[in-house]
Amino acid sequence: YQCDTCKVNFPYKSGNEVKFLRVCAVMDQYSRKIVGYSFGEVENTILILEAIRNTFNKNVVIPRQLLIDNHSSYHSILFKNFEALIEEYGVVVRKARVRNPKDKGNVEVWFDKFQTNLLKDLYGNLGAGVKTYTDGKRMEEDVINVYYDKKNLSTLNRLKNILEEKIQAYNSSFLKLVDSSPNNLFE
């Protein structure tokens, strides 16, 4: 499995504030299926452990290896205790090489495709990030302002539902490279 976290560039309203959600995804490297995930406002140990717990609860497969990021959350005492526990079950926990995104490239590519392809047509989506370009230029400022208008913002629950639906849609989608869907390959 490969595990990583990414900010979803889709603002939502929380009280009187505009916030962004982070998704921590766990991907099976062979099938490219997102086997577990969690959502939170910040990348922290709890978010990561919740995604991994969801992965183990949903699937009866224990991976040989869990490839993780080098974020400070993976260095906490809580995560180290978890790491020691799953290593007792034979899971090798390996940190990705520093400054080498290709080391966990499958999940990195998935995050890019998730934001640029699966979420692109949703009202309120700001694209893959600050450097998003539409038709060769930066997203129009007036469009961004409309998306940030509080009456146009999604709620947290609605956004989570949308993201879950899009993850399921991805897992069921046909991948030309492997001539199957991630769900079928995982089974």
Side-chain angles (χ1 to χ4, degrees), residues 13-178:
K13 62 182 168 191
S14 177
N16 286 328
E17 293 183 68
V18 174
K19 295 187 176 184
F20 290 88
L21 205 56
R22 294 196 171 270
V23 59
C24 180
V26 180
M27 174 183 268
D28 174 62
Q29 184 172 326
Y30 170 73
S31 66
R32 307 293 196 268
K33 178 179 180 175
I34 301 302
V35 290
Y37 53 88
S38 63
F39 304 113
E41 291 181 2
V42 293
E43 180 176 0
N44 59 24
T45 304
I46 302 299
L47 177 71
I48 294 161
L49 289 177
E50 185 179 327
I52 295 169
R53 180 179 53 87
N54 290 340
T55 300
F56 288 172
N57 285 341
K58 276 198 230 176
N59 305 288
V60 293
V61 177
I62 295 177
R64 283 190 221 137
Q65 183 181 82
L66 177 62
L67 181 58
I68 59 174
D69 199 13
N70 279 294
H71 189 272
S72 60
S73 300
Y74 295 95
H75 299 281
S76 71
I77 291 172
L78 186 60
F79 192 84
K80 295 243 182 240
N81 290 339
F82 168 75
E83 188 176 347
L85 177 68
I86 65 170
E87 284 179 344
E88 287 180 21
Y89 289 94
V91 179
V92 175
V93 179
R94 181 173 76 80
K95 288 183 175 54
R97 288 179 229 122
V98 178
R99 300 183 208 279
N100 188 354
K102 289 181 182 178
D103 196 19
K104 53 182 177 33
N106 295 337
V107 74
E108 295 283 356
V109 166
W110 178 79
F111 277 123
D112 181 55
K113 288 184 190 243
F114 184 67
Q115 298 223 56
T116 58
N117 294 346
L118 290 169
L119 300 180
K120 75 176 180 181
D121 295 329
L122 295 175
Y123 184 82
N125 179 33
L126 298 175
V130 176
K131 296 179 181 174
T132 299
Y133 292 90
T134 307
D135 297 327
K137 59 185 179 214
R138 199 173 143 83
M139 187 177 276
E140 298 294 328
E141 197 66 34
D142 56 338
V143 173
I144 292 171
N145 290 335
V146 168
Y147 286 173
Y148 270 90
D149 187 325
K150 291 199 169 125
K151 69 178 184 260
N152 295 330
L153 291 171
S154 182
T155 63
L156 176 59
N157 286 337
R158 183 173 179 282
L159 180 56
K160 283 182 179 180
N161 288 339
I162 289 168
L163 297 177
E164 286 176 354
E165 287 172 11
K166 293 299 183 178
I167 289 170
Q168 298 312 316
Y170 161 78
N171 281 338
S172 300
S173 67
F174 183 79
L175 303 176
K176 289 180 192 175
L177 179 67
V178 291

